[in-house]
Amino acid sequence: MSPPRDEQDYESKRQQIIDGALHVFASKGFEKATNKDIANAARIGSPGLIYHYFKDKADLFRQVLEERAPALQFVSRGEEMMDLPPREVLTRFGMTFVETLDNLVAVAMFKVILGEAIRRPVVAETFNKIGPGRAFGFLMRYISHQMEVGTLRRMDPGAAVRCFVGPLLAYVLTREVFVQPDARSLAPETMVTSAVEVFLRGMEA
């Protein structure tokens, strides 16, 4: 049974605002984006209407990241994956991480927010709580659990997470920021498979 018409309309409008906010955050960053900018981009008329769907700009920013960044959707289901094999979980995480590269507007937003976060600690704190901090926390819990059950050999979990995520970040940066000629021809699937393989060769018990 499909949801009632009112619920459909509500969700449709909400997604419209999220898409508009994504474009505004991508061009102006978090701090300079205004409700008026977002309302214009979303074509909803009144900026005040945004508060019918989101508590404030930080809440809207969180929803943009959660619904347009596949990796955050993945980690939101983290607890159900704690006992799955490392190769499966790390491959799935890696693929959702690089899937963001397919959304050019999302990539543009991450570039702008990253630069803004470096200059403004409050933006860095907001961004970290919503995105990187949650992803890092999930991987820490997962890898620690796998060490406890003997699937992965013991070492500092934080160091292990950084050893896995580091190559993926380097891949994204050399494709989108510090562009290297070979990065564009290196398929995401190849990069993720290689990162998982190298990591597990050093970590499997």
Side-chain angles (χ1 to χ4, degrees), residues 60-199:
L60 174 54
F61 183 55
R62 178 175 65 82
Q63 294 297 329
V64 168
L65 288 180
E66 288 191 348
E67 300 201 19
R68 299 298 182 265
L72 294 185
Q73 296 172 22
F74 179 82
V75 302
S76 69
R77 306 188 306 274
E79 296 310 313
E80 66 192 53
M81 290 180 276
M82 286 294 131
D83 292 313
L84 295 178
R87 188 174 300 276
E88 178 182 347
V89 172
L90 296 178
T91 299
R92 287 170 61 185
F93 175 86
M95 288 308 301
T96 59
F97 181 82
V98 299
E99 271 179 31
T100 304
L101 296 173
D102 293 333
N103 187 329
L104 297 181
V105 180
V107 171
M109 184 187 76
F110 291 137
K111 287 181 182 179
V112 172
I113 297 296
L114 182 60
E116 191 176 8
I118 292 171
R119 298 189 304 273
R120 300 186 179 279
V122 67
V123 176
E125 182 180 0
T126 299
F127 184 46
N128 185 53
K129 284 180 180 178
I130 297 169
R134 288 174 57 201
F136 190 86
F138 160 72
L139 288 174
M140 280 274 287
R141 293 192 305 276
Y142 176 77
I143 286 177
S144 295
H145 177 68
Q146 292 299 316
M147 289 177 182
E148 289 172 6
V149 299
T151 306
L152 299 178
R153 68 181 183 85
R154 289 187 178 275
M155 65 173 291
D156 184 285
V161 170
R162 289 171 172 85
C163 286
F164 174 65
V165 174
L168 300 178
L169 286 173
Y171 173 65
V172 172
L173 288 173
T174 56
R175 270 181 59 111
E176 304 298 335
V177 183
F178 310 109
V179 180
Q180 303 297 313
D182 70 314
R184 290 285 179 177
S185 60
L186 179 59
E189 295 83 358
T190 301
M191 184 64 235
V192 171
T193 300
S194 300
V196 172
E197 182 67 27
V198 170
F199 179 77

Side-chain angles (χ1 to χ4, degrees), residues 9-10 13-14 17 49-55 59:
D9 290 344
Y10 180 91
K13 186 71 70 176
R14 182 176 165 278
I17 294 171
L49 189 59
I50 292 172
Y51 292 112
H52 182 63
Y53 299 87
F54 306 95
K55 291 186 295 185
D59 180 44

